[in-house]
Amino acid sequence: MPVADGGEDAVDIKQLKALVTVAEAGSVTRAAELLHLVQPAVTRQIRTLEQELGVVLFERTRQGMRPTEAGAVMVDRARRALNELERARAEVQPTPGVVTGVVTVGLLESATDLLAEPLVSAIAREQPGIELRLMTAYSGYLQQWLDDGDLDVTLLYNLASTPSLNAHRLVGERLWAVAQAADGLRPEQPISFSEAAGHPLVMPAAGHALRSLIDSAAARAGVDMDVVVQTNSMRVQKQLVLAGYGWTILPGVGIAEDVARGSLSAAPLCEPDVRRSIVLGTQRSGRTPPAVEVVAREITRQVRLAVRDGRWPSAEWQANSGAAGDE
């Protein structure tokens, strides 16, 4: 099945599958096993593709098959093409009355523990024809993946609609100072930003959206922060606080279970309040598949339930009438 009309040279689906599988497996032998083919057949597909494109796609190293710069570009594009083909097949060959399809969802790292399992459970129970693929990261990465077409729907924060995406506001929440349990911070007793900044701080890496929000608050409070460690992992932030390297600042949803277990103590920040807004982002261009619409509504429902039931600390439901999934 050709995917491009180039006269005698036409890339076909089998070549794209071989390309992606070899890149992911790191060897032709392993790729052949995964594709249920003999090794020479996979080698022939890669060589034919290289000849048709006029570029070398892999370097043969002692560690295995490694994509060249051109190969990496082709692997990325081929993977997207195969994903789109898989989605299209699911949409055009549905079971009557059943929504089917593959939906790739982005979840903020801070909200993953709260939302991932309930979302998967609800979709499996109510919409078994939908296959979910979950990706977790900070907001900046998720936005880029959405822009690149690698995500269908994602949670983001402090973002308005743009020419490339729709953003529906769901939740507003405060950021919290987080410390060891022995420091005795209490959820019912907010702590001033200047008091929190008086301690050594473990912070998100500079340039990260959450760090930018914190830096802005520090400027408003007129205080300098003693940043002793920077990291791009919320989990590492908490681990370093537990190890005694300092305090940190995180959204309440990211530390709710730790506080409930008594492993950390935390208090909302004040003077000034530091808040972020959680939005549901979807691609603006093109047709939205029914499966994506279903999953977007379910994400919204799960967020609303978490706020209503008090599982999302210091959060306020802010979805406007007409936002995706409003009940």
Side-chain angles (χ1 to χ4, degrees), residues 171-318:
V171 169
E173 64 170 337
R174 299 171 74 175
L175 298 190
W176 292 46
V178 184
Q180 290 183 314
D183 289 306
L185 297 182
R186 301 179 64 83
E188 67 273 14
Q189 295 178 350
I191 183 174
S192 69
F193 191 96
S194 60
E195 183 177 349
H199 296 265
L201 292 174
V202 178
M203 284 285 99
H208 183 277
L210 185 61
R211 175 64 182 275
S212 299
L213 190 61
I214 296 168
D215 287 346
S216 176
R220 283 185 285 145
V223 299
D224 294 323
M225 297 185 294
D226 177 17
V227 179
V228 294
V229 184
Q230 300 183 54
T231 175
N232 65 350
S233 167
M234 182 188 72
R235 204 168 299 277
V236 172
Q237 283 179 254
K238 295 191 289 186
Q239 288 173 344
L240 293 176
V241 171
L242 285 168
Y245 286 92
W247 289 20
T248 193
I249 296 173
L250 287 169
V253 67
I255 45 89
E257 291 188 6
D258 304 275
V259 173
R261 288 195 304 265
S263 57
L264 292 171
S265 64
L269 287 169
C270 63
E271 299 176 9
D273 283 354
V274 189
R275 297 178 179 270
R276 69 174 185 173
S277 180
I278 305 297
V279 304
L280 185 71
T282 55
Q283 295 177 358
R284 184 182 289 275
S285 60
R287 167 182 170 272
T288 301
V292 174
E293 295 179 348
V294 167
V295 172
R297 286 196 296 269
E298 187 58 38
I299 293 170
T300 303
R301 190 177 77 89
Q302 291 298 331
V303 171
R304 188 170 190 171
L305 289 174
V307 174
R308 185 197 68 184
D309 297 343
R311 292 179 286 118
W312 195 310
S314 66
E316 299 176 354
W317 181 250
Q318 294 182 338

Side-chain angles (χ1 to χ4, degrees), residues 137-207:
Y138 284 124
S139 185
Y141 293 115
L142 295 174
Q143 181 183 352
Q144 183 62 54
W145 296 342
L146 184 65
D147 287 340
D148 290 343
D150 294 325
L151 293 177
D152 298 305
V153 57
T154 185
L155 292 177
L156 302 166
Y157 64 82
N158 288 13
L159 189 71
S161 292
T162 71
S164 63
L165 64 88
N166 290 309
H168 302 288
R169 182 183 297 178
L170 299 181
V171 169
E173 64 170 337
R174 299 171 74 175
L175 298 190
W176 292 46
V178 184
Q180 290 183 314
D183 289 306
L185 297 182
R186 301 179 64 83
E188 67 273 14
Q189 295 178 350
I191 183 174
S192 69
F193 191 96
S194 60
E195 183 177 349
H199 296 265
L201 292 174
V202 178
M203 284 285 99

Side-chain angles (χ1 to χ4, degrees), residues 18-40:
L19 171 69
V20 172
T21 307
V22 170
E24 293 177 346
S27 79
V28 173
T29 301
R30 178 57 180 153
E33 294 174 357
L34 294 171
L35 293 168
H36 304 291
L37 297 172
V38 295
Q39 181 175 333

